[in-house]
Amino acid sequence: MLIIGDHTFSKDEIYSNAPSAEPERQLYFCSCVKEIVKARFESDCASGEALLRYGSEQLQKMTEAGAFATFHIETYGCQMNAKDSEKLGGLLIRSGFMEVDTEAADFVLYNTCTVRENANLKVYGHLGYVHSLKKKRPSMLVGLCGCMMQEAEEVEKIRTSYRFVDIIFGTHNIYKLAELLFDRLATGRMEVDVWEGTSEIVEDLPADRKYSFKSGVNIMFGCNNFCSYCIVPYVRGRERSRDPEDIVAEIRRLASEGVKEVMLLGQNVNSYGKALGSPISFAQLLRRVEAIDGIERIRFMTSHPKDLSDELIQVMKDSEKICRHLHLPVQSGSTRILEKMNRRYTKEQYLSLVDRIRAAIPDISLTTDIIVGFPGETEEDFQDTLDVVRRVRYDSAFTFIYSKRSGTPAASMEGQVPETVVKDRFDRLLREVQQIAAEVCCRDVHTVQSVLVEEKNTHMDGYVTGRMSNNTLVHFPGTEDLIGSIVNVYLEESKGFYYMGHREG
Ligand code: SAH
Ligand code: SF4
Ligand code: F3S
């Protein structure tokens, strides 16, 4: 039974009154969940239980925010997951929850990643901890969502060995969080709802944005590339692009709320829009975003080298707003390995692409992802990777040890490389990458750069931290009121991967 205003509703009535269109249906379930947590909160307040649970300071914050319970989301993985967590947080706030920075919350949600095995292991570590919390407070709710939940074996393991988990859902139905929570609260049973795929994109969900001045914006979901080592296409489904009108409308709204920098998100932004009813290229989309007043910086992630067009290079060159940074994952420098990885470019094609980009935009900063120890990788292949690193001279590189993901073609390839060999290559690669990055990153010292101030410096009192167009961090004296503004900073000293500076003008 649920009492809303003067009326009492049964569970069945609540379902039959639910709108069928989205996101209206979810907003309706948000208000139902809110009524349930509110009723519990009010009785806990009356009995003094709430004061014991939250303490007076937290209780006051909740009252001021009109919240009746707390939530915490632990997010793993990439920017896509970070963006999903903002949407999940937005739904929870609408459902009467307030965010706290600890797993000792009324609802803890783990938004998981499964791209490498250690991402999975981290989640199981946290589950052990949250179980101990839940033993002390059985009313607490624990949820799991995200990429790892798209794997049937993982869900089965949790169903059988982690019975204290309350809800499990995947990557395709995050917008249904409130409905799933309602089901769980109404039935008391573990709620498992994982979809194999979807063609639907639910627009206009509320989001609890982490920063007031910058925001990620999904432009597409899923991936069609099937790089042979990668699990993402299996857990995120086929590529789907959002309608450009929806993207532009969202960015206009963000700009009107004070957002200055947007990061356009997709697993392979360069193939954006190709399958839409009225096809549009990523470069054309960027031109439309560039025209939005109030947006001063545009970033995007990730670019697959095989689809990076000359049109895109031209748009970046002409642009006042697109940041001077390109993340261009190479994965390996060996053409033989790239072929086995199904990357669909050769070492020479990659290097010539880098040359074209640098010729057009000389001040661009390039970063990359590299995998070492892919099945069959020989010392000669690895030398090709080092060669690419030395020739391109990346500003930074994310280096990964190959992780076998079951179900991917690479998992059953011959010639898995022994751990000691991989570790040795990884260390050599890291040394090379770091040495080059330290040399490259100081190139702007003694110049004035525009910097978007992001936060108060946590280590140095009276300092703030901001980001240059090319993504390098700068620390300089300043006060909190600068956060969210773009200021000119003189770069006094390079510290390898960041600068110390002072405000100019
Ligand atoms: N769509 C992006 C990458 C997403 S995954 C792109 O294509 O660039 C982020 C990075 O994780 C990849 O670039 C790759 O370097 C790494 N990665 C993916 N699967 C991996 C695996 N099985 N083992 C090790 N690293 C992996
Ligand atoms: Fe994975 Fe390749 Fe798709 Fe990137 S492009 S998500 S590496 S399959
Ligand atoms: Fe991980 Fe999923 Fe992103 S597997 S890297 S969170 S798309």
Side-chain angles (χ1 to χ4, degrees):
M1 287 298 168
L2 181 64
I3 302 164
I4 300 179
D6 298 333
H7 302 282
T8 304
F9 296 95
S10 71
K11 199 176 108 212
D12 290 343
E13 277 171 318
I14 287 178
Y15 283 115
S16 63
N17 287 342
S20 51
E22 299 292 4
E24 292 75 11
R25 182 178 175 87
Q26 296 316 311
L27 300 180
Y28 165 89
F29 277 107
C30 286
S31 47
C32 297
V33 170
K34 189 169 183 167
E35 291 300 327
I36 299 175
V37 290
K38 182 177 173 207
R40 198 184 65 184
F41 182 78
E42 283 170 351
S43 85
D44 286 352
C45 279
S47 68
E49 174 80 10
L51 187 61
L52 270 179
R53 179 178 304 158
Y54 303 114
S56 57
E57 204 179 312
Q58 176 69 29
L59 203 53
Q60 189 180 343
K61 278 193 206 152
M62 290 167 72
T63 315
E64 282 165 9
F68 309 109
T70 58
F71 78 94
H72 178 72
I73 306 181
E74 281 282 315
T75 308
Y76 304 88
C78 64
Q79 308 268 358
M80 304 284 166
N81 260 18
K83 182 69 201 177
D84 284 352
S85 288
E86 291 190 353
K87 294 178 186 166
L88 293 162
L91 291 166
L92 287 173
I93 288 170
R94 285 227 174 200
S95 307
F97 288 79
M98 181 175 159
E99 184 162 23
V100 288
D101 199 17
T102 153
E103 280 161 283
D106 294 312
F107 178 38
V108 183
L109 182 59
Y110 296 94
N111 192 4
T112 63
C113 169
T114 185
V115 77
R116 286 169 291 275
E117 195 183 5
N118 53 10
N120 296 38
L121 298 177
K122 269 193 222 156
V123 172
Y124 285 111
H126 277 262
L127 279 181
Y129 172 63
V130 83
H131 191 195
S132 69
L133 295 178
K134 190 164 174 167
K135 276 186 194 148
K136 286 186 221 139
R137 181 141 71 88
S139 66
M140 132 182 223
L141 294 166
V142 177
L144 282 162
C145 64
C147 295
M148 201 173 129
M149 296 305 107
Q150 292 296 137
E151 294 179 281
E153 323 76 88
E154 300 292 349
V155 173
E156 205 38 50
K157 184 164 157 187
I158 288 157
R159 260 183 206 274
T160 47
S161 311
Y162 296 80
R163 296 288 314 155
F164 62 92
V165 170
D166 297 282
I167 44 177
I168 297 178
F169 56 102
T171 56
H172 302 294
N173 54 346
I174 61 158
Y175 68 89
K176 275 190 70 182
L177 173 62
E179 187 167 348
L180 296 172
L181 259 182
F182 178 79
D183 289 348
R184 169 67 183 86
L185 293 167
T187 64
R189 284 195 302 269
M190 185 194 259
E191 189 66 32
V192 182
D193 192 12
V194 180
W195 300 357
E196 285 213 349
T198 181
S199 55
E200 197 179 0
I201 296 177
V202 176
E203 294 289 346
D204 301 325
L205 286 177
D208 172 26
R209 288 196 282 106
K210 287 278 163 290
Y211 299 93
S212 58
F213 53 88
K214 65 172 186 178
S215 178
V217 175
N218 297 112
I219 62 166
M220 59 207 296
F221 302 92
C223 182
N224 282 354
N225 288 305
F226 290 95
C227 301
S228 63
Y229 51 81
C230 184
I231 199 153
V232 171
Y234 305 88
V235 295
R236 285 270 166 181
R238 291 298 69 70
E239 191 176 288
R240 284 152 287 138
S241 292
R242 277 176 80 193
D243 194 318
E245 300 307 324
D246 289 328
I247 297 170
V248 168
E250 178 178 343
I251 298 176
R252 282 214 184 98
R253 204 193 61 236
L254 290 170
S256 74
E257 290 168 7
V259 167
K260 299 212 167 101
E261 177 180 303
V262 286
M263 162 90 88
L264 309 182
L265 298 172
Q267 293 297 352
N268 176 13
V269 291
N270 298 328
S271 68
Y272 169 79
K274 289 185 180 157
L276 283 171
S278 327
I280 155 170
S281 68
F282 178 55
Q284 286 164 335
L285 177 73
L286 279 172
R287 283 217 167 91
R288 295 197 55 183
V289 176
E290 174 105 17
I292 299 173
D293 283 340
I295 295 298
E296 296 183 39
R297 282 184 167 184
I298 304 167
R299 300 185 185 277
F300 50 84
M301 267 192 116
T302 301
S303 281
H304 194 306
K306 80 175 164 62
D307 296 314
L308 200 147
S309 65
D310 288 337
E311 186 195 11
L312 177 65
I313 298 175
Q314 190 60 42
V315 169
M316 288 184 77
K317 182 182 158 92
D318 297 342
S319 169
E320 301 267 306
K321 297 183 179 178
I322 300 174
C323 289
R324 288 337 200 200
H325 171 218
L326 193 61
H327 186 62
L328 197 60
V330 64
Q331 312 298 1
S332 166
S334 152
T335 297
R336 201 180 69 84
I337 294 293
L338 285 168
E339 198 179 338
K340 289 176 75 180
M341 285 178 161
N342 193 29
R343 290 292 287 181
R344 287 171 276 172
Y345 52 83
T346 62
K347 174 185 181 185
E348 289 67 32
Q349 283 166 337
Y350 184 90
L351 290 172
S352 105
L353 176 62
V354 167
D355 286 345
R356 289 204 304 281
I357 295 167
R358 285 238 165 95
I361 315 159
D363 58 342
I364 195 132
S365 127
L366 292 176
T367 58
T368 201
D369 292 346
I370 302 169
I371 298 176
V372 275
F374 184 83
E377 184 189 74
T378 62
E379 178 60 25
E380 203 185 335
D381 295 317
F382 177 66
Q383 286 300 329
D384 272 328
T385 299
L386 286 179
D387 188 42
V388 168
V389 166
R390 288 178 192 133
R391 290 209 209 180
V392 179
R393 298 180 63 75
Y394 295 104
D395 277 65
S396 75
F398 296 99
T399 49
F400 304 110
I401 287 182
Y402 167 72
S403 172
K404 194 171 174 174
R405 308 316 287 136
S406 62
T408 62
S412 51
M413 281 182 190
E414 297 199 344
Q416 305 281 333
V417 187
E419 215 179 302
T420 48
V421 176
V422 179
K423 189 77 191 54
D424 173 60
R425 285 182 197 160
F426 183 81
D427 292 344
R428 280 150 65 203
L429 176 66
L430 198 62
R431 272 201 300 277
E432 195 73 42
V433 158
Q434 285 179 341
Q435 194 190 325
I436 292 172
E439 288 163 18
V440 169
C441 283
C442 61
R443 64 175 174 248
D444 292 315
V445 72
H446 305 317
T447 63
V448 175
Q449 298 286 332
S450 76
V451 168
L452 172 58
V453 185
E454 298 203 335
E455 58 195 5
K456 232 172 86 175
N457 192 297
T458 40
H459 302 293
M460 280 177 296
D461 248 6
Y463 277 69
V464 288
T465 300
R467 209 176 277 274
M468 289 163 39
S469 167
N470 75 8
N471 217 28
T472 310
L473 291 179
V474 187
H475 307 295
F476 61 99
T479 45
E480 236 172 303
D481 55 294
L482 287 178
I483 294 173
S485 45
I486 295 181
V487 294
N488 285 332
V489 177
Y490 177 77
L491 309 178
E492 267 162 24
E493 192 189 352
S494 163
K495 295 276 192 184
F497 303 102
Y498 62 89
Y499 291 101
M500 301 304 297
H502 63 253
R503 251 185 107 180
E504 186 93 357

